[in-house]
Amino acid sequence: MNDQFKTLLPKTYFSFLGRFSTLTEVQKNTIPEILQNKDVLVISPSASGKTEAVVAPMVEQALTEGRTGLKILYISPTRALVNDLYRRLVEPINCLELSIERKTGDHPKISEKALPYILLTTPESFDSLLCRHPKIFLDLRGVILDELHLLHGTPRGDQLRILLERLRRILDGRQIIYAALSATIDDFKIADYYFPDPKKISIICVPEKRIIDYKLIPAQQGFITQLINEFIAKGFRKILWFFNARSLAEEFLLKLKKIAPPYPVLIHHSSLSKKERESIEQFMNTSPKAILCATSTLELGIDIGDIDCVVQYRPPPNISSLLQRIGRGNRRNQERLYSIGIYTSVLDRKIFEVFFECAREGKFYTRPYYPSLAVLPQQIFSYAYQRRRVGLTAEAFNNITRNYLSDKEFAIKSKIFDFVVAKGYLKEVKRGIYFLTEKLEKKLSYGKIHSNIQEKSFGAYSVYDGESGRFLGQVFYLSERFILGGKAYEIIKVEEKEHKVFVRYLKDLLGTTKIFEGTGALGYHYQMIPLVIKKIFPNLSQAGFPYFVENNHLYLIHMFGALYSFILKQALENEGLKVLDVEGVIFVFNNRPQLDCFPVPAKETIREVIGKNIFRLEDNLGSGAFFRYLPKEVQIEEHYRTLDIDGLLDFICTQPLVKINIEDFTAYDASKFY
């Protein structure tokens, strides 16, 4: 079989594939497609050889057009991945006497007189190159989009969509090959958004064939020592331990060091310096054993050597993330994937079970895709900078975004364009011809005009007892009444400038002890709620939202999570219905022993709630760095679309209320439920 591919790849086989005793399935299926000039979407597990499967045939094809000029553009989501790819590809590329370079914030320079054959970059640096050096792409032969699922459905992914359209205009009809890579995509239409011709796309899907095994352990006293003993007993040498927040990773680093296990203990997250991260990655590659506490940054394909066990503290945000994490380990085991999940509540455990079952079935339940509106002002500024000598017209902007929004949404583009002109970011020098103004000079000088990476805008509110002044904790979503630390509070006063809120304690309302992260734009999709509810209440008579009544209060178990709960609660209260939300899990209706159906607020009421909380929602929804360059009505529309409110309300309307006994709820120990 390998002899066939040696014939197909006479120039590049030994450089890229010579180390493989036999080619992997994804390589066998992908290479012939690219050699036939087809665009490819490659979906295959981590460490299955996807990179070589696309780079080798692309270089083979490019060599027919010469050995000079920039031939392949490889776009990756992060600088760390770019650096990792560089280390992986530099040797085979140099063996062919070709060149490879990086263009990122860490490696900002590129010479137009000595262009590399392959350029590794990020969407932001690609944007910068299109603006400053568009001619370097004239000899391009192929584009590779790495880990596309990490970009798709974010402002950075939508920026990339428009940048690729701008690239095609520079190429002026020249045909190039496109390839997109991912380990965790279940939407085979994803490449249609980025490639020019859906009919030309060949989909290569190699499903995860290894059996997914897992073990769930409660986070009770002594569980860390229990885990370490298990690592030792099973002969695990390197352990990767994921946390959903940097603060948790730091906390457990200290706990592990205090126990002093027979392993070096390290930490890796995005707030560390580049030098520190690379040092830790190098240590993991060379050390015989270690425990590494990490955040989602290491869900990516950064090389940290062979990992024997992946531990997850509490469920990750979604199933795709779960698969990315467990795929980082078990690379020596060709038959099984193994992971340990640590749960802090009954609900955590049930979510873990649902996630693992869906992962085994290859169902990811990703949220619907809506193009980001906040990317449009960024691309107006970026394209105006690219055309700084001739000026930008509304028609030129519409051309590069013609496939981005539907014809029905054309008015949104016009509204955004007119808004940035009215705000003084563009000036009309000749009739219908616009140039950037000095107002954007600072963003230009620092390169921020090219980045949709969002900076945090508001942070949490600090909560204080209104009588004693004692600090109680922090919350992100304020409402008249809320739960914190297992107790119910009512707002007395809010100091917006200092982000302080003063409260009084309410004794007669149910409290909880844990924060439920749940659904929302960044959590699991609401379509998974029935699966979670069925897991918790297996004897439920029918699908729907369980509820029970106690002391004349109706407790409706919904599982929406903090974000959706906040919005629905505010909307219901605006319509006159008093409701208390308990940690994104339960709505409590006081003095309301009966409901015929889940109360659904009007869409316009929800838009009003969004309008009053635009910037509080901005961070959670990942709205991008240019969200505030949108007119307010478009900001509201952006949040409404991102939250998929239409889909959410349709879902709620299909779910009946199902009465249960309070015993059915307390059987799960309500104090630990959350």
Side-chain angles (χ1 to χ4, degrees), residues 167-223:
L167 173 67
R168 288 188 276 270
R169 296 184 70 79
I170 290 169
L171 294 174
D172 194 25
R174 176 184 171 88
Q175 298 299 304
I176 62 174
I177 301 171
Y178 294 84
L181 312 180
S182 177
T184 57
I185 286 176
D186 62 353
D187 177 10
F188 291 172
K189 296 290 186 182
I190 189 173
D192 295 3
Y193 298 109
Y194 301 86
F195 299 174
D197 185 0
K199 295 178 181 178
K200 189 187 168 190
I201 299 172
S202 180
I203 298 170
I204 295 95
C205 182
V206 179
E208 178 62 74
K209 295 180 179 178
R210 290 177 290 181
I211 297 170
I212 299 175
D213 283 341
Y214 65 93
K215 181 177 183 178
L216 301 180
I217 297 174
Q220 58 193 17
Q221 187 173 3
F223 85 93

Side-chain angles (χ1 to χ4, degrees), residues 454-603:
Q454 183 176 353
E455 296 178 0
K456 293 294 182 183
S457 64
F458 67 94
Y461 283 83
S462 298
V463 182
Y464 295 86
D465 185 285
E467 293 182 3
S468 67
R470 183 169 60 93
F471 175 67
L472 300 173
Q474 292 183 313
V475 295
F476 276 87
Y477 302 111
L478 284 183
S479 56
E480 182 183 348
R481 293 178 298 169
F482 60 90
I483 301 291
L484 178 64
K487 296 180 179 179
Y489 295 97
E490 184 175 62
I491 291 177
I492 300 172
K493 180 178 67 171
V494 178
E495 295 180 357
E496 287 286 356
K497 189 174 181 181
E498 292 79 16
H499 279 211
K500 290 182 178 180
V501 55
F502 295 87
V503 298
R504 66 168 62 91
Y505 173 49
L506 298 174
K507 296 180 181 179
D508 62 336
L509 293 175
L510 174 68
T512 62
T513 57
K514 300 292 181 184
I515 295 174
F516 172 64
E517 285 142 358
T519 67
L522 303 180
Y524 65 76
H525 192 248
Y526 54 75
Q527 292 286 359
M528 292 188 66
I529 289 175
L531 303 180
V532 178
I533 288 176
K534 183 64 177 175
K535 202 45 106 165
I536 296 169
F537 303 103
N539 297 322
L540 206 63
S541 61
Q542 65 181 109
F545 293 112
Y547 76 95
F548 61 90
V549 178
E550 185 184 31
N551 298 329
N552 209 38
H553 296 343
L554 188 145
Y555 296 78
L556 198 165
I557 303 165
H558 56 72
M559 305 286 177
F560 280 131
L563 181 54
Y564 278 137
S565 297
F566 169 77
I567 292 169
L568 289 171
K569 175 185 181 298
Q570 296 297 309
L572 290 172
E573 292 196 334
N574 285 359
E575 295 182 350
L577 186 60
K578 291 294 183 182
V579 57
L580 175 72
D581 175 57
V582 182
E583 302 294 353
V585 175
I586 300 173
F587 280 160
V588 182
F589 299 91
N590 297 326
N591 301 313
R592 186 77 180 251
Q594 185 62 46
L595 283 174
D596 296 326
C597 60
F598 198 114
V600 179
K603 294 177 181 180

Side-chain angles (χ1 to χ4, degrees), residues 10 28 78 135 159 279 286 396 476 533:
K28 294 174 184 176
T78 67
K135 292 182 179 179
Q159 174 185 11
S279 173
T286 57
F476 276 87
I533 288 176

Side-chain angles (χ1 to χ4, degrees), residues 63 127 161-162 225 251 271 307 354 440 445 486 605 628 639:
L63 284 170
D127 195 315
R161 278 188 64 188
I162 300 174
T225 301
E251 176 186 336
S271 295
I307 302 297
V354 169
L440 284 172
S445 61
T605 308
R628 299 195 180 193
H639 283 346

